[in-house]
């Protein structure tokens, strides 16, 4: 059951090619990720309150169709994998007006103890909420 | 006696207009500001070590000539004003290949005590170093 | 009669100070500006269709109260001044949870003929729509 | 024979975690890529003059050691693969003060005919210059 976040490509997201700058896509993925986690009651303030953060260890994206200024997009977020301490989220970005799959992305974060800067197991309360929405 | 920082407009700095996005100029001003302060021995790590930071309270910029992808620029930094707790830095951005004044900017920061989040006088050691390079 | 745009401060908007980076505010002002113009039927695609664009000649912002990660803000947009070829928009950013005025901003654009890169009078159809919402 | 580009993590590159925001790394990779191509006489203006551009179809990065404000980094660029129309560049980011490998990245671009927006073979003059520096 995917979560979807709608946003628009802004001027600041574009570059001299007249299309989106590849790095700007990550701002949209981040908004989608944040709202996805909030929808599960797992907003980052909860992680911080538990002394945890989720730094990225890997990110990637494929650009499949051009996105340009003012294009509206829907970003689907899903849980790809829950490891001992890692969390992999997958993203699909659809261009609203054509229905095209415009981009795909994946972010891998590692649950980190903010005190010592080391990875730590994802707490059960977070794991269980994520498992509930993980595709089977 | 102005400090000058050279940089280049990158793809990510441009937008669909094919010119620099106005907000991208501030990344170049920030690099110039950081290196200017370092040249005076006032890099931000020193401020942090004294429990201080310098949040912006006002920023502004004028855009006088178009800047585009790969243009090289020289950013001059000068101390415009040293208040009790505020510091105003002025910037002039010259496009190298034409010598045109392409932009002007001004940043006003306030010396803040990180502990309580309140403004605090600029310490003498910082004030004196800034006064040495302040135009008369 | 102000137009209001709601958004949230994202991780990418923050910096090592733990607060918003001053330049990130401009991304939020831009979204507000774009949606304000769209609400008047003046989306930038219409300007482009008329061979026009609206490059910035001046921008400024005041930062009045700290904004941090995940803070929700309302950005009010109003027409401050319509010149022969210049348009000045004013912004007020309110932090939702406290009701504080967190920032103010102003953007001055100049109507430009894309063909020759020179300023040109704002066309009557745009001017009239802007005048309708200009505060008196 | 790798090309190396030195840069510094700026305030705008960091986020509330006090470390670099993962997307900011791509600005440094882009500067390194641009200067690498310039060192081969293949600056993007030459591509544009031939009616070509090089939009990204895939990007990825691994984050191996924390990077924070003011850290100096060396970014090595190498040609990983030259396809019929695709070009894969690889990046290694070393933190100067510790010598640690802090990040790795890969960008895949596709040579595009700007006129029709379709992929087109990399011209021999570009291919040959890239092959000269490709590791064997």
């Amino acid at each position: 059951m995917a979560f979807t976040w709608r946003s628009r490509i802004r001027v600041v997201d574009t570059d001299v090619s007249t299309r989106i700058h590849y790095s700007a896509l990550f701002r949209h993925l981040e908004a989608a990720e944040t709202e996805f986690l909030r929808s599960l009651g797992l907003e980052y303030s909860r992680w911080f309150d538990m002394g945890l953060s989720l730094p990225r260890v890997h990110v990637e994206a494929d650009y499949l169709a051009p996105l340009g200024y003012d294009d509206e997009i829907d970003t689907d977020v899903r849980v790809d994998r829950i490891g001992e301490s890692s969390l992999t989220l997958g993203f699909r970005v659809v261009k609203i007006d054509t229905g095209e799959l415009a981009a795909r992305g994946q972010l891998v974060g590692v649950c980190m103890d903010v005190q010592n800067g080391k990875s730590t197991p994802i707490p059960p309360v977070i794991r269980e909420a994520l498992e509930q929405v993980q595709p089977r």
Side-chain angles (χ1 to χ4, degrees), chain A residues 54-81:
Chain A
L54 190 71
R56 313 291 104 148
V57 294
H58 179 77
V59 308
E60 61 178 277
D62 296 296
Y63 304 83
L64 308 167
L67 290 172
Y69 171 64
D70 222 28
D71 282 342
E72 261 192 312
I73 55 176
D74 268 348
T75 301
D76 281 5
V77 190
R78 64 174 192 277
V79 175
D80 271 357
R81 187 173 171 273

Side-chain angles (χ1 to χ4, degrees), chain A residues 5 18 22 26 31 36 61 75 78 87 91 112 125 136:
Chain A
W5 176 251
T18 75
Y22 69 95
F26 291 110
F36 168 67
T75 301
R78 64 174 192 277
L87 172 61
F91 301 84
M112 191 184 81
V125 62
R136 269 134 231 284

Side-chain angles (χ1 to χ4, degrees), chain A residues 4-82:
Chain A
T4 300
W5 176 251
R6 183 160 294 189
S7 57
R8 257 187 208 274
I9 310 304
R10 303 298 181 183
V11 179
V12 72
D13 295 331
T14 63
D15 68 31
V16 63
S17 74
T18 75
R19 299 176 177 184
I20 194 173
H21 188 269
Y22 69 95
S23 71
L25 183 72
F26 291 110
R27 282 200 290 270
H28 294 266
L29 300 192
E30 183 174 279
E33 170 195 345
T34 300
E35 298 306 325
F36 168 67
L37 290 175
R38 193 189 321 279
S39 76
L40 304 176
L42 300 179
E43 49 270 45
Y44 281 115
S45 56
R46 276 199 67 197
W47 298 61
F48 301 154
D49 290 348
M50 292 188 265
L52 303 173
S53 74
L54 190 71
R56 313 291 104 148
V57 294
H58 179 77
V59 308
E60 61 178 277
D62 296 296
Y63 304 83
L64 308 167
L67 290 172
Y69 171 64
D70 222 28
D71 282 342
E72 261 192 312
I73 55 176
D74 268 348
T75 301
D76 281 5
V77 190
R78 64 174 192 277
V79 175
D80 271 357
R81 187 173 171 273
I82 314 171

Side-chain angles (χ1 to χ4, degrees), chain A residues 103-120:
Chain A
R104 270 190 308 253
Q106 201 171 57
L107 303 180
V108 185
V110 163
C111 186
M112 191 184 81
D113 182 325
V114 173
Q115 286 292 343
N116 62 20
K118 293 197 189 308
S119 71
T120 187

